[in-house]
Amino acid sequence: MKVLITGVNGQLGKQFKELSETNKDFVFTSREELDISKNEEVESFFNNNKFDCVINCASYTAVDKAENNINDSMNVNVLGSKNLAEATAKQKALLIHYSTDYVFDGKNNKPYSEDDISSPQTIYGKSKLKGEKEIFVNAERAIIIRTSWLYSKFGKNFVKTILEKSKEKQILEVVFDQIGSPTYCYDLANLTLKILPEVVDNFYTKDIYNFSNEGVASWYDIAQAIIDIKNVDCEVKPVLSDAFQTVAKRPYYSLLDKNKIKNDFNVKIPYWKHSLKRCLDEL
Ligand SMILES: NC(=O)c1ccc[n+]([C@@H]2O[C@H](COP(=O)([O-])OP(=O)(O)OC[C@H]3O[C@@H](n4cnc5c(N)ncnc54)[C@H](OP(=O)(O)O)[C@@H]3O)[C@@H](O)[C@H]2O)c1
């Protein structure tokens, strides 16, 4: 089974590389090696290489920057998705792609299911939703995994930022009115690799699945858990989102209903605090 993993320098891409580097059938590409937004580059790459599955970790993910860089965000998240969808369709390969809770408006009071109406409130969310649609139109076989609040030992993320700041400051103010569930990249990559043999052989349609860690938390809860697990001398103060002005408005409610992925693939998902501890043990 030949597998391509794009966007290998991102945190999810790096996680995949760590988990499957020794597998000679896996090929990893960075933006420099394969820019998914460039149609000719993608076509030429796929003319020279054949795959059974493409796992797309490449994305424009700068949520605030996207508000003023609409074209960049759309080029990668919409055109890039279309290019990969067309290329995989020609090879009858399965495309596994990641999307986001930001496709929703965050006004729910119960976990979002895959069928809930999407209504993105940011350019990033809009670009990811349009990317999903391009995949539905142009791919032959595709799994879109919507996920939320990624963190890992790689790259820049909330967990690493809190850990660093808690060592410098006596008090950290963290919002407690945005609710969701964090996702440990290791668990997401591991889940993807676990279902890979089955879906490459048997998945001949296009569908969306939700995935995050189990449980519910606010950013405040996560920050407090980091301080507790690492035993750092720092006070975490809960504040309302209004205390922080961000260019892009964050959804208040991001919780994803994961019953579909659990039932269809018979997988168990780790509780967020247990996964957080595993990540912090590595930092
Ligand atoms: N991070 C989150 O909290 C979060 C939440 C929900 C969903 N997701 C989704 O999860 C997926 C993985 O996210 P992540 O956190 O791993 O993102 P990330 O760390 O920002 O990594 C994205 C990677 O994509 C690469 N890239 C950007 N434009 C590209 C292009 N035109 N062609 C090829 N590569 C390109 C980037 O390259 P450079 O290294 O050169 O910049 C980067 O290495 C994305 O689909 C994202 O939308 C993330």
Side-chain angles (χ1 to χ4, degrees):
M1 177 173 48
K2 272 266 177 210
V3 179
L4 170 67
I5 298 189
T6 59
V8 71
N9 287 334
Q11 54 170 341
L12 186 59
K14 282 187 175 159
Q15 186 68 72
F16 271 109
K17 190 159 189 197
E18 187 182 73
L19 287 173
S20 43
E21 197 162 23
T22 52
N23 190 331
K24 296 273 177 290
D25 291 328
F26 278 59
V27 174
F28 303 90
T29 53
S30 65
R31 188 215 302 248
E32 289 70 35
E33 289 156 328
L34 177 63
D35 184 331
I36 63 162
S37 68
K38 295 189 175 143
N39 183 261
E40 281 178 16
E41 198 172 314
V42 174
E43 273 189 0
S44 141
F45 183 86
F46 278 82
N47 283 339
N48 295 317
N49 300 279
K50 194 154 168 31
F51 299 101
D52 301 295
C53 181
V54 173
I55 301 177
N56 180 32
C57 298
S59 178
Y60 186 101
T61 58
V63 177
D64 288 320
K65 264 195 190 165
E67 295 298 311
N68 296 313
N69 291 282
I70 301 178
N71 286 347
D72 291 350
S73 160
M74 294 290 168
N75 275 342
V76 183
N77 293 342
V78 186
L79 273 183
S81 301
K82 180 173 188 272
N83 291 337
L84 290 180
E86 287 174 346
T88 48
K90 278 189 200 150
Q91 302 197 348
K92 311 268 180 244
L94 175 69
L95 174 60
I96 299 181
H97 175 83
Y98 299 94
S99 189
T100 168
D101 54 299
Y102 280 51
V103 298
F104 298 115
D105 62 12
K107 293 176 185 156
N108 255 24
N109 55 15
K110 70 176 180 51
Y112 283 102
S113 86
E114 289 81 353
D115 298 329
D116 277 345
I117 291 169
S118 43
S119 174
Q121 303 292 301
T122 59
I123 297 296
Y124 167 70
K126 285 176 188 164
S127 72
K128 293 297 286 187
L129 183 62
K130 282 188 174 194
E132 288 184 3
K133 291 188 172 155
E134 289 293 347
I135 290 173
F136 265 87
V137 170
N138 296 294
E140 273 204 12
R141 312 171 56 200
I143 294 177
I144 294 169
I145 301 179
R146 286 183 182 149
T147 186
S148 61
W149 301 11
L150 291 192
Y151 70 92
S152 66
K153 64 181 172 184
F154 305 107
K156 235 185 121 199
N157 56 62
F158 179 80
V159 172
K160 286 173 75 177
T161 303
I162 290 293
L163 194 55
E164 276 161 28
K165 289 200 171 166
S166 68
K167 288 173 186 163
E168 295 159 8
K169 296 185 170 190
Q170 284 299 304
I171 299 176
L172 284 182
E173 294 189 334
V174 184
V175 298
F176 73 98
D177 57 351
Q178 291 171 26
I179 307 297
S181 180
T183 306
Y184 185 23
C185 284
Y186 178 95
D187 293 337
L188 178 56
N190 195 39
L191 170 282
T192 309
L193 293 171
K194 192 168 172 215
I195 67 171
L196 200 60
E198 181 187 336
V199 290
V200 167
D201 280 352
N202 302 316
F203 200 91
Y204 280 85
T205 182
K206 295 167 248 185
D207 212 347
I208 298 179
Y209 287 92
N210 291 338
F211 183 89
S212 67
N213 279 116
E214 291 287 22
V216 188
S218 68
W219 292 112
Y220 164 79
D221 294 315
I222 302 169
Q224 186 62 62
I226 294 166
I227 303 300
D228 291 345
I229 292 167
K230 281 298 207 184
N231 204 13
V232 188
D233 184 18
C234 176
E235 182 190 341
V236 188
K237 248 179 92 177
V239 294
L240 290 165
S241 300
D242 298 350
F244 291 101
Q245 292 299 321
T246 50
V247 182
K249 205 167 172 283
R250 281 9 184 211
Y252 281 108
Y253 190 90
S254 280
L255 210 64
L256 301 170
D257 179 343
K258 298 170 284 277
N259 277 313
K260 185 170 160 186
I261 203 162
K262 287 191 281 188
N263 293 336
D264 282 11
F265 298 111
N266 194 23
V267 287
K268 274 206 167 137
I269 304 178
Y271 175 54
W272 71 265
K273 249 187 216 178
H274 296 164
S275 293
L276 178 65
K277 178 159 188 332
R278 280 189 287 127
C279 179
L280 288 171
D281 285 347
E282 293 217 21
L283 285 173

